Amino acid sequence: MAFSDLDDDFYDDVCPKALPTIKRVVEDAVRKEKRMGASLLRLHFHDCFVNGCDASILLDQTSAIDSEKTSRANNNSARGFEVIDKIKSEVDKVCGRSVVSCADILAVAARDSVVALHGPSWEVKLGRRDSTTASRTAADNNIPTPLMDLPALISNFKNHGLDEEDLVALSGGHTLGFAQCFTFRNRIYNETNINSAFARQLQANCPRSGGDSNLATLDPTAAIFDSKYFSNLVSKKGLLHSDQALVSGGKTGGFVEEYSKNLRTFSKDFAKSMIKMGDIKPLTGKQGQIRVNCRKVN
């Protein structure tokens, strides 16, 4: 089955209140903690890059499930699981039964998070079903790391059917949220393509040893969807090695330059790439299941 099986009005008849309910819970969560918007966006991304957008990231460890939550990219890092649980229980309540998949909840919550933080909206295609397996190994192999250089990033995204424009647009998700010290320590102490005042400022809260989980914002306005992430890259103030790497290629550098000057273009391309990412290998029809509890297989 191809991704054309997904459809933005999938729940219109079976549960018209599903989408407004997701939006309400997401807005509440983001109002309580702005950072949650970035966390929910990232869950959808980390889900889609591991065997498709199938909510495998939400499955807890059991004797049969090799949880992706303990993979290198997610361990002590991925967050927002309790918000997804809350959405699921509220949605099942208004629908009267379990009809909305956890995979679709992740896709819609990502969009609603971006909108809650003043970003663009888009029509989320729906009808994904939930996996009955997870793979920590696949998560370790497929989720891009903050230490990747440009060729590795391009090839990682290409493996998921995403091109260089998608890479730059989706990296722009780093207009929101934070990163932990251990992910950028090497950059601020050892790299040369970094603004020295910026590096010094970060060193104050990210020592050479210790403080691994100390947070820094990925761009100056971590709770607003804007184009500052890209202006930062232009002035050598990318927080992660993988952020700054985007400037090192002609094509990707061109997109960075363009987005730094034009928020509308970035917003439009971001929305387009999010739809494309949401189309990665979904389970549809009779494949998979609709989990009753997003953390475990039925």
Side-chain angles (χ1 to χ4, degrees):
M1 292 200 168
F3 50 64
S4 54
D5 293 318
L6 299 181
D7 184 354
D8 56 25
D9 55 12
F10 192 84
Y11 297 110
D12 285 9
D13 296 332
V14 46
C15 184
K17 288 187 181 157
L19 269 63
T21 303
I22 298 175
K23 188 176 172 64
R24 175 174 58 78
V25 181
V26 169
E27 283 173 349
D28 283 350
V30 172
R31 200 176 302 118
K32 282 199 193 85
E33 185 201 18
K34 294 274 198 278
R35 181 186 177 201
M36 189 52 74
S39 302
L40 294 172
L41 173 60
R42 185 169 182 246
L43 280 183
H44 178 46
F45 164 48
H46 283 199
D47 180 32
C48 293
F49 268 50
V50 185
N51 299 321
C53 313
D54 60 1
S56 56
I57 191 171
L58 301 177
L59 291 171
D60 285 337
Q61 185 75 29
T62 67
S63 54
I65 298 288
D66 188 19
S67 179
E68 294 167 20
K69 293 181 180 182
T70 54
S71 66
R72 282 192 296 271
N74 294 328
N75 198 32
N76 297 321
S77 175
R79 59 198 295 279
F81 298 110
E82 33 335 285
V83 177
I84 300 298
D85 293 337
K86 175 104 180 357
I87 294 171
K88 178 66 171 161
S89 87
E90 296 285 313
V91 165
D92 286 359
K93 209 181 295 172
V94 299
C95 297
R97 58 202 169 97
S98 184
V99 286
V100 180
S101 68
C102 301
D104 278 347
I105 287 173
L106 284 170
V108 175
R111 187 267 316 269
D112 291 348
S113 291
V114 168
V115 171
L117 297 171
H118 314 289
S121 189
W122 59 91
E123 290 286 344
V124 177
K125 291 172 22 182
L126 300 162
R128 300 170 192 77
R129 288 168 65 86
D130 299 326
S131 73
T132 51
T133 59
S135 172
R136 188 179 51 142
T137 311
D140 282 338
N141 292 336
N142 290 299
I143 297 173
T145 81
L147 306 177
M148 279 182 172
D149 56 18
L150 188 59
L153 290 165
I154 291 172
S155 121
N156 178 292
F157 274 64
K158 193 175 174 189
N159 290 341
H160 297 102
L162 300 169
D163 60 25
E164 290 179 51
E165 183 178 324
D166 299 314
L167 165 62
V168 179
L170 293 170
S171 294
H174 287 173
T175 174
L176 303 173
F178 297 77
Q180 299 182 52
C181 164
F182 77 91
T183 62
F184 58 83
R185 176 181 282 126
N186 186 62
R187 173 155 168 72
I188 64 173
Y189 287 102
N190 301 321
E191 293 187 5
T192 51
N193 61 341
I194 185 167
N195 174 290
S196 55
F198 175 69
R200 273 198 306 279
Q201 180 196 332
L202 289 161
Q203 289 167 3
N205 195 39
C206 180
R208 282 180 190 272
S209 66
D212 280 6
S213 59
N214 292 0
L215 297 175
T217 61
L218 283 156
D219 92 340
T221 51
I224 300 171
F225 190 100
D226 57 19
S227 55
K228 291 202 168 71
Y229 167 80
F230 296 107
S231 333
N232 257 20
L233 297 186
V234 173
S235 50
K236 298 190 176 166
K237 293 179 183 175
L239 183 64
L240 306 176
H241 178 87
S242 56
D243 292 326
Q244 198 59 51
L246 299 174
V247 179
S248 65
K251 201 167 173 189
T252 54
F255 289 122
V256 168
E257 193 72 40
E258 166 74 13
Y259 296 159
S260 74
K261 296 193 181 94
N262 195 328
L263 176 57
R264 280 185 70 168
T265 306
F266 165 47
S267 296
K268 182 172 62 63
D269 288 356
F270 181 81
K272 194 173 67 183
S273 294
M274 284 296 292
I275 293 170
K276 203 165 153 186
M277 183 178 83
D279 273 341
I280 299 173
K281 292 195 300 202
L283 300 169
T284 54
K286 292 201 168 11
Q287 302 169 303
Q289 59 181 210
I290 308 290
R291 283 184 219 141
V292 177
N293 173 344
C294 291
R295 293 171 180 265
K296 47 181 204 252
V297 175
N298 294 348

